[in-house]
Amino acid sequence: NKGKYKHYMQKEIHEQPESLTTTMRGRLIRGGACKSKTVLLGGLKDHLKTIRRSRRIVFVGCGTSYNAALASRPIVEELSGVPVTMEVASDLVDRQGPIYREDTAVFVSQSGETADTLQALDYALENGALCVGITNTVGSALARKTHCGVHINAGCEIGVASTKASDWHCAYTSQIVVMAMLALAVGGDMISNEARREAIIDGLLDLPSKVKEVLKLDEEMKDLAELLINEQSLLVFGRGYNYATALEGALKVKEVALMHSEGILAGEMKHGPLALVDHNLPIVVIATRDACFSKQQSVIQQLHARKGRLIVMCTKGDSASVSVGGSCRVIEVPHVEDCLQPVLNVIPLQLLAYHLTVLRGHNVDQPRNLAKSVTTQ
Ligand code: UD1
Ligand code: BG6
């Protein structure tokens, strides 16, 4: 049931304050003698020691789910101290890459039925790794075959059985939230991390209201879509926590709006992508406040020097520090703890992809050539 919305995709984007709330429900609690806040993930609590002791954590997924894992990688590494490597499911299987008994392999899949991810899971099970699932679908093959895991409880599968797009947009943000909670749970209660942990938990609790604020950019993103409607291509530059945001924004523009788009790691700009920059090609640069901000400012300057057509996403109040000579289009988003910023930053890009799709006359809820869950290889 689409309710007041025209499309499921639109409904899903706008209902993220609710889907994020259900994802967190019952999982953030005040505990212990000092009444500090903690995370309780029922599905992982008996396995945390094993995960902490593992030699590395390997994230495995495809498409949007891979991107969500990539967005979460830095905070999982920071809080757990365990190295995290990333694997696109099909590539792990193609390479028969090394997976060891001492590894924790985390499989991320909204549907829990994606063939590539399930094949990688079988491979990791054969190799004796602890296999953890992160999925939206109770009873899915992924949930059944993994040793343990977390349901993201985004609730967005209901009533959308025949559509494709409608079950991704809220899954991405809920997956990031679950993996931030996983980082907190695996990180445990080390005193040295206490302030950081508290800040992340406060940030999680604040997310639904900040998402509501970001959703107010809807009209602005529609205007931007109108400007971009006839473009051939869109580049999205991000780094650090928001490299994944660049990949995910570009993936949505590609698969829903059917426009060529690439997410680019800004640190790689000088090593190839700069050659593409001219006064025609639109480029989104994600430059919200975090440890990489000054590096992104210098990326903006270099793109500007080559007459790039820039659209900069920045933290509220930062327009003047990112828009060189006042010449860029700016998208301002609220600030949240750095590791959660990708949850907010992806939303304007989801809205942009949605409006581009509608304006270009494509089918929003059933993108061309895509199946709801790819159960073949
Ligand atoms: C569970 C209940 C929830 C209840 C809550 C009360 C289910 C599905 N969830 O939620 O209804 O309100 O307890 O405490 O009954 N799992 C996997 N692989 C996966 C995902 C999950 O093995 O990919 C396993 C988990 O390890 C766990 C079980 O499935 O044993 C349920 O996971 P989850 O729903 O995340 O657990 P809770 O949040 O505790
Ligand atoms: C692809 C879809 O087929 O599957 C992507 O086109 C999706 O959008 C990917 O992200 C993975 O799906 P899942 O269900 O494993 O998260």
Side-chain angles (χ1 to χ4, degrees):
N1 186 331
K2 288 184 284 216
K4 61 178 176 180
Y5 298 102
K6 286 204 194 90
H7 302 100
Y8 285 112
M9 176 175 176
Q10 185 190 26
K11 176 174 189 281
E12 259 207 19
I13 293 173
H14 287 272
E15 287 186 349
Q16 286 176 107
E18 292 77 36
S19 51
L20 290 169
T21 302
T22 45
T23 295
M24 291 186 274
R25 183 164 297 142
R27 290 168 164 175
L28 295 176
I29 50 167
R30 280 192 178 277
C34 55
K35 293 272 182 278
S36 62
K37 298 176 203 114
T38 53
V39 165
L40 177 71
L41 294 172
L44 292 189
K45 65 178 188 328
D46 299 334
H47 302 269
L48 290 175
K49 270 200 190 128
T50 317
I51 301 175
R52 272 177 212 136
R53 279 200 299 253
S54 50
R55 167 155 132 181
R56 64 173 177 163
I57 294 171
V58 186
F59 273 133
V60 189
C62 309
T64 287
S65 293
Y66 175 91
N67 294 342
L70 184 67
S72 316
R73 177 193 201 178
I75 194 61
V76 174
E77 283 184 331
E78 181 191 324
L79 294 183
S80 71
V82 181
V84 178
T85 59
M86 298 298 307
E87 292 283 357
V88 171
S90 63
D91 189 50
L92 176 64
V93 174
D94 288 349
R95 289 180 0 259
Q96 298 280 294
I99 294 284
Y100 302 104
R101 295 185 64 80
E102 301 80 9
D103 288 335
T104 294
V106 180
F107 296 84
V108 187
S109 170
Q110 187 283 132
S111 62
E113 301 291 350
T114 299
D116 289 325
T117 307
L118 293 176
Q119 223 198 344
L121 169 59
D122 287 340
Y123 173 72
L125 286 167
E126 277 162 29
N127 285 278
L130 174 72
C131 293
V132 179
I134 295 182
T135 183
N136 195 27
T137 317
V138 178
S140 60
L142 187 88
R144 284 184 275 112
K145 288 182 166 189
T146 43
H147 296 118
C148 58
V150 188
H151 291 113
I152 67 169
N153 298 341
C156 42
E157 272 286 63
I158 302 157
V160 297
S162 63
T163 70
K164 162 71 185 166
S166 44
D167 52 5
W168 312 328
H169 311 284
C170 69
Y172 181 72
T173 48
S174 283
Q175 282 166 341
I176 295 176
V177 160
V178 161
M179 286 182 269
M181 293 194 287
L182 178 144
L184 289 162
V186 175
D189 48 12
M190 269 186 294
I191 286 289
S192 56
N193 280 338
E194 196 175 337
R196 175 73 157 147
R197 274 200 316 274
E198 290 266 338
I200 297 170
I201 294 178
D202 289 341
L204 285 166
L205 294 168
D206 272 354
L207 266 183
S209 68
K210 293 204 167 153
V211 168
K212 271 189 199 147
E213 217 176 310
V214 183
L215 286 166
K216 291 184 189 148
L217 293 168
D218 194 30
E219 276 302 312
E220 210 179 297
M221 299 319 291
K222 190 173 171 207
D223 292 348
L224 182 59
E226 268 160 16
L227 273 183
L228 300 178
I229 180 170
N230 292 318
E231 296 301 334
Q232 299 285 323
S233 182
L234 177 71
L235 300 186
V236 191
F237 279 69
R239 72 195 313 145
Y241 289 105
N242 289 291
Y243 172 39
T245 311
L247 294 183
E248 178 60 11
L251 181 61
K252 287 294 152 271
V253 170
K254 214 179 302 185
E255 71 180 347
V256 195
L258 314 185
M259 181 194 280
H260 172 257
S261 186
E262 292 303 326
I264 293 175
L265 183 64
E268 281 286 285
M269 178 183 71
K270 285 181 235 154
H271 310 299
L274 205 49
L276 290 173
V277 180
D278 62 13
H279 62 282
N280 288 319
L281 178 65
I283 303 176
V284 175
V285 183
I286 303 169
T288 41
R289 287 274 170 175
D290 62 16
C292 296
F293 180 64
S294 62
K295 287 187 176 173
Q296 282 305 72
Q297 279 182 305
S298 104
V299 162
I300 292 167
Q301 270 154 13
Q302 294 180 50
L303 291 170
H304 184 72
R306 284 157 187 86
K307 311 227 169 347
R309 242 180 98 189
L310 303 187
I311 301 147
V312 180
M313 186 186 297
C314 68
T315 303
K316 245 184 195 152
D318 264 352
S319 284
S321 9
V322 295
S323 175
V324 199
S327 60
C328 318
R329 213 184 155 93
V330 172
I331 306 166
E332 288 196 4
V333 294
H335 186 255
V336 68
E337 192 72 3
D338 53 11
C339 60
L340 303 174
Q341 193 70 47
V343 172
L344 301 185
N345 291 3
V346 79
I347 291 172
L349 302 177
Q350 292 176 337
L351 290 167
L352 176 66
Y354 169 74
H355 289 297
L356 269 176
T357 311
V358 174
L359 291 168
R360 284 158 69 94
H362 300 306
N363 187 330
V364 178
D365 287 331
Q366 255 157 337
R368 188 169 69 189
N369 303 339
L370 296 176
K372 181 157 183 279
S373 52
V374 179
T375 50
T376 54
Q377 283 151 41

